[in-house]
Amino acid sequence: MTDSLALAEFAYGLPKAELHLHLEGTLEPELKFELAARNGIELAEKTFEEVKATYNFTDLTSFLAVYYPAMQVLQTADDFHDLAWAYLLRAKEQGVVHAEMFFDPQAHTSRGVPFENVITGYHRAAVRAGDELGISAELILCFLRDFSAEDAAATLESALPYKDWIIGVGLDSDERDNPPSKFSEVFARARAEGFRLTMHCDIDQVGSIDNIRAVLTDIRVERIDHGTNIVEDPELVAIAKERGLGFTCCPVSNSFVTEQMKADEIVSLLRAGLRVMINSDDPAYFGAYVGDNYVALAEQAGLSETDLVQFAINSFEASWLTPEQKAAFVERVGEYAGSRGVALPV
């Protein structure tokens, strides 16, 4: 077995949490065709190859232009269950033992799908994952930042009857002209209702560092999704490290919307002791699930198995598990590394 094959085998088997995963971004072409047939929807694409040919992205905007129309095949609670379940089966194969999964209810309610269909389907899959796969799974409701703050507030109200099924709230979609401050009131309300807080600060956006500053100092989230532009401001890096803030990095998706996967930034933050971790973002569109992302970054940056262990430890420490659950999962990581003769991070 070559060193690269040994590294890949280690990466896939490594127990890990995935904290940056959009369920709608796991819609593989096969399931898209299946759901379209189930719901009597005629797709413009007729073959697997035609669907894949649409996955031609140069930036965040061009990605979203393909991403949202694909969701029309999601209609019933069973559809949402089947989507999440298909992801969780793949996640199991890639070493995921805990997942905190994003979902975008406004992308569905805005086209007439009841909120209840979305949340009940996803919740059923999350419960089933614990029972059948040994994966603890939670849901994070994301507001779409290119919708109004009022629509976000209404979505939060719709979620309150299901708050025991939703661990936190996030913010995603097109960042242009949609700064964090636009949603400060709804995030304050979500915090008061007991939800955990995270926000996307996408890479290389106009005003990226200003948005990161606002997320850190004004909204005061617990995690930042993407966020590697923080390296531009050492003061913010110091604040994030002091607070133990998590950064949910997605190397392969980075390489689709910018010139490279931000390996230098991710590794520099890792070496500086920040809680950066590796995730898959929208794996059906970017062709890489979380274990694949571990391997891609390791190969690009020349990382060791011990580095991958640190990413896995960070993924649990930045999660919204209880301290006892975090400690148990970190112990599993250590046991796995020890069984493979891999040194633990110092």
Side-chain angles (χ1 to χ4, degrees):
M1 181 179 292
T2 67
D3 287 345
S4 61
L5 286 176
L7 180 69
E9 182 186 39
F10 180 83
Y12 291 125
L14 181 63
K16 59 184 71 68
E18 180 149 42
L19 309 182
H20 188 148
L21 181 285
H22 299 270
L23 283 169
E24 289 85 359
T26 68
L27 182 59
E28 294 284 351
E30 297 91 340
L31 183 58
K32 183 178 180 180
F33 284 123
E34 180 183 332
L35 297 181
R38 178 190 296 177
N39 293 314
I41 295 170
E42 185 173 353
L43 299 176
E45 306 86 19
K46 303 304 179 185
T47 67
F48 176 93
E49 291 75 19
E50 288 179 0
V51 173
K52 284 294 187 183
T54 67
Y55 297 177
N56 183 23
F57 321 120
T58 57
D59 55 22
L60 178 61
T61 302
S62 62
F63 164 68
L64 295 175
V66 174
Y67 182 64
Y68 288 120
M71 295 182 197
Q72 65 176 317
V73 301
L74 296 163
Q75 300 284 338
T76 70
D78 284 345
D79 297 341
F80 291 100
H81 164 272
D82 292 353
L83 177 64
W85 183 245
Y87 158 70
L88 288 160
L89 287 171
R90 288 177 180 266
K92 174 75 171 180
E93 295 174 351
Q94 302 243 336
V96 174
V97 293
H98 176 70
E100 296 176 9
M101 309 174 294
F102 297 135
F103 70 107
D104 291 333
Q106 290 159 290
H108 312 298
T109 56
S110 63
R111 55 188 177 85
V113 176
F115 185 94
E116 180 182 12
N117 288 11
V118 182
I119 188 63
T120 56
Y122 281 155
H123 175 68
R124 181 154 50 96
V127 172
R128 187 180 174 192
D131 293 340
E132 298 182 28
L133 303 178
I135 297 175
S136 63
E138 301 284 358
L139 295 169
I140 301 172
L141 185 159
C142 281
F143 304 115
L144 298 183
R145 66 198 313 155
D146 42 1
F147 282 38
S148 70
E150 292 75 18
D151 201 79
T155 300
L156 181 61
E157 289 294 332
S158 297
L160 292 179
Y162 306 98
K163 65 187 300 183
D164 291 344
W165 295 357
I166 301 169
I167 196 170
V169 299
L171 184 68
D172 61 15
S173 200
D174 200 338
E175 196 162 334
R176 294 175 305 169
D177 302 319
N178 295 300
S181 58
K182 174 180 173 181
F183 299 93
S184 58
E185 290 186 10
V186 72
F187 269 74
R189 171 74 192 285
R191 188 196 304 275
E193 291 288 347
F195 293 106
R196 313 296 291 267
L197 306 183
T198 187
M199 276 189 176
H200 275 53
C201 289
D202 286 296
I203 58 172
D204 297 347
Q205 300 295 297
V206 174
S208 280
I209 199 66
D210 294 328
N211 288 348
I212 292 171
R213 183 177 296 106
V215 164
L216 275 176
T217 62
D218 300 334
I219 309 296
R220 295 183 68 87
V221 299
E222 299 166 83
R223 290 202 299 253
I224 293 179
D225 304 309
H226 298 299
T228 48
N229 286 86
I230 197 171
V231 298
E232 299 167 16
D233 189 328
E235 181 181 350
L236 293 181
V237 171
I239 292 172
K241 182 176 181 179
E242 181 182 359
R243 292 186 192 168
L245 202 77
F247 287 81
T248 65
C249 302
C250 306
V252 173
S253 75
N254 288 349
S255 68
F256 274 77
V257 299
T258 190
E259 292 183 356
Q260 45 93 9
M261 63 176 60
K262 297 296 181 184
D264 291 345
E265 290 87 341
I266 294 170
V267 173
S268 70
L269 292 170
L270 178 73
R271 302 290 184 233
L274 277 76
R275 283 183 177 162
V276 290
M277 71 216 70
I278 304 305
N279 307 271
S280 65
D281 203 358
D282 299 281
Y285 291 88
F286 301 125
Y289 284 78
V290 64
D292 307 320
N293 273 264
Y294 270 72
V295 174
L297 182 65
E299 292 179 344
Q300 174 72 30
L303 300 178
S304 68
E305 286 92 342
T306 298
D307 292 323
L308 300 189
V309 169
Q310 185 65 69
F311 282 127
I313 291 172
N314 289 351
S315 73
F316 293 113
E317 290 184 340
S319 75
W320 292 333
L321 292 161
T322 67
E324 293 77 16
Q325 290 170 324
K326 292 180 185 182
F329 278 124
V330 169
E331 184 176 355
R332 283 179 63 177
V333 173
E335 290 172 351
Y336 176 83
S339 72
R340 299 302 184 96
V342 172
L344 295 177
V346 177

